[in-house]
Amino acid sequence: MTSVQTRAAEPPPSAPRRSAVFPSGAPGRRAFAALSFRNIGAVYVWLVIVALFSVWAPDTFPTTTTVKQVLNGNAVAGLVALSVVPPLAARVFDLSVAYTMSLTSVLTAHFLVSSGFGPGAAIALAMTAALLVGVVNALVVVVLRVDSFIATLATGALIQSLITMVTNDSSLTGVQLLAKPFADIAQLDAGGLTLPVLYLMVAALTLWFVLEHTATGRRLYATGFNADAARLQGVRTDRLRFGTLVASALLSGLAGVVFASSVGSGSPTAGTPYLLSAYAAAFVGATQLRAGRFNAWGTVLAVLLLGTGITGLGLATSAQWAASLFTGTVLIVALVLTGGRISLPAVLRRRTGSGPAATTDEEVGA
């Protein structure tokens, strides 16, 4: 009888063991989880990079000027990186973002310099072109069911041909691009920080709110996790994917306008250098804060990490290949750390524990 009572009092083998340090649900445990390497590993890597370059280039790197340079110099890259987050969350690739950025850059310059439009009209027409690009991408991917990787690569080639027709492969310049109010869009600063930094923060805040605090965001993640299961729950997956491609084009188009204002010209290759860094930041960001999910603040964190490394390399060495090597290496490491689980919502796995086909009503907002 005593033996039976003793066994009955023991917790079942499957019962989770509570931490002796932090009781279940204690603030200490939540703080420990929030500060763990698994959750914010990029922050610790970022600190290591800062320490490394502070020793490597002590006269130029650890300064306030470098901080401002990292923030100002990577605001446009951050906008492009955020533009790929919504489609990636729905498991859709948009490889045309770099071309869309170049398109709005040259169209804005063209309308200002050659057509005599004012800044407002020029920007509106350029953003309308970006909207059309997003709609075309969505039609090809969602309606015609062409693989997004190939489809957006093809539309990117078409966009590049249009850019060549407009520019003849030459940058468009003119005093209109350097004059106010157009120049102020990117060059106006406060305390050494330019307006694009504010645009980046507003875009990240908006995207974070939509993805994390709305039913649309939950349905978007559910679509990326398992489109068939989400569809059975009543989620309009095609409509969501359509919307993400349009949003991606608009945000990358905005980056092109800001770029044109920043450099005072419309470049036919403005977006080309940003494609790799955008996807590197998005994939690194998916390992941070909301592990397994593409998210806004993780992407911004990754942009700043990459920007710090590239700026540090620029100050410490003159090697032209160093920046690409650093970006590619970080992307590979991020993919290894995620183990192929990107776009697999961790919340679904924790709550259901029932494998890849599991989706909950709460998660999709049904």
Side-chain angles (χ1 to χ4, degrees):
M1 183 67 177
T2 303
S3 176
V4 173
Q5 289 177 341
T6 302
R7 287 197 300 270
E10 294 176 353
S14 60
R17 294 185 178 181
R18 298 190 176 188
S19 171
V21 179
F22 299 121
S24 178
R29 167 172 288 190
R30 291 195 295 268
F32 179 80
L35 296 175
S36 67
F37 186 87
R38 182 176 182 180
N39 191 52
I40 55 169
V43 173
Y44 300 119
V45 174
W46 191 8
L47 294 176
V48 170
I49 290 173
V50 170
L52 173 64
F53 285 114
S54 295
V55 174
W56 193 354
D59 296 329
T60 55
F61 184 81
T63 64
T64 305
T65 302
T66 301
V67 174
K68 295 176 181 178
Q69 181 180 347
V70 169
L71 292 172
N72 294 332
N74 290 279
V76 172
L79 289 173
V80 181
L82 288 177
S83 74
V84 305
V85 169
L88 285 175
R91 197 164 288 182
V92 176
F93 279 91
D94 185 359
L95 298 182
S96 68
V97 291
Y99 303 99
T100 305
M101 176 183 169
S102 299
L103 178 65
T104 55
S105 171
V106 300
L107 286 182
T108 303
H110 173 75
F111 290 131
L112 280 171
V113 176
S114 302
S115 301
F117 287 98
I123 293 172
L125 290 171
M127 292 303 295
T128 299
L131 175 63
L132 291 175
V133 169
V135 171
V136 170
N137 281 339
L139 288 174
V140 174
V141 173
V142 178
V143 178
L144 300 182
R145 302 294 179 184
V146 179
D147 180 78
S148 62
F149 194 95
I150 301 300
T152 56
L153 192 61
T155 56
L158 295 177
I159 295 169
Q160 188 61 51
S161 66
L162 177 60
I163 293 172
T164 303
M165 289 172 58
V166 173
T167 65
N168 197 26
D169 270 343
S170 300
S171 295
L172 300 178
T173 59
V175 294
Q176 297 89 338
L177 296 169
L178 301 174
K180 297 181 178 182
F182 182 73
D184 286 344
I185 292 175
Q187 298 180 27
L188 191 66
D189 71 277
L193 297 179
T194 56
L195 282 180
V197 177
L198 175 62
Y199 305 152
L200 175 62
M201 293 298 105
V202 171
L205 183 64
T206 302
L207 185 57
W208 164 78
F209 180 80
V210 171
L211 290 178
E212 301 293 342
H213 296 279
T214 67
T216 299
R218 292 192 295 272
R219 291 164 183 163
L220 190 61
Y221 280 131
T223 298
F225 167 69
N226 190 314
D228 292 333
R231 193 179 300 110
L232 291 175
Q233 291 285 348
V235 176
R236 297 178 178 179
T237 56
D238 286 346
R239 178 179 294 184
L240 286 171
R241 286 174 169 167
F242 195 105
T244 61
L245 287 168
V246 172
S248 176
L250 288 173
L251 195 50
S252 58
L254 174 63
V257 173
V258 174
F259 179 86
S261 173
S262 176
V263 301
S265 67
S267 171
T269 58
T272 304
Y274 291 98
L275 185 60
L276 176 60
S277 62
Y279 275 92
F283 276 87
V284 172
T287 69
Q288 304 299 304
L289 304 178
R290 304 286 288 171
R293 296 186 179 193
F294 292 99
N295 64 90
W297 293 119
T299 301
V300 171
L301 174 61
V303 167
L304 296 178
L305 184 153
L306 290 169
T308 301
I310 292 171
T311 300
L313 286 170
L315 295 173
T317 177
S318 59
Q320 298 296 320
W321 45 264
S324 296
L325 176 64
F326 179 79
T327 302
T329 302
V330 170
L331 178 56
I332 292 173
V333 171
L335 292 173
V336 171
L337 290 177
T338 58
R341 293 189 299 273
I342 289 179
S343 287
L344 182 63
V347 171
L348 285 181
R349 289 184 290 162
R350 283 200 307 269
R351 290 179 180 175
T352 64
S354 53
T359 305
T360 65
D361 289 345
E362 181 183 356
E363 185 67 26
V364 300

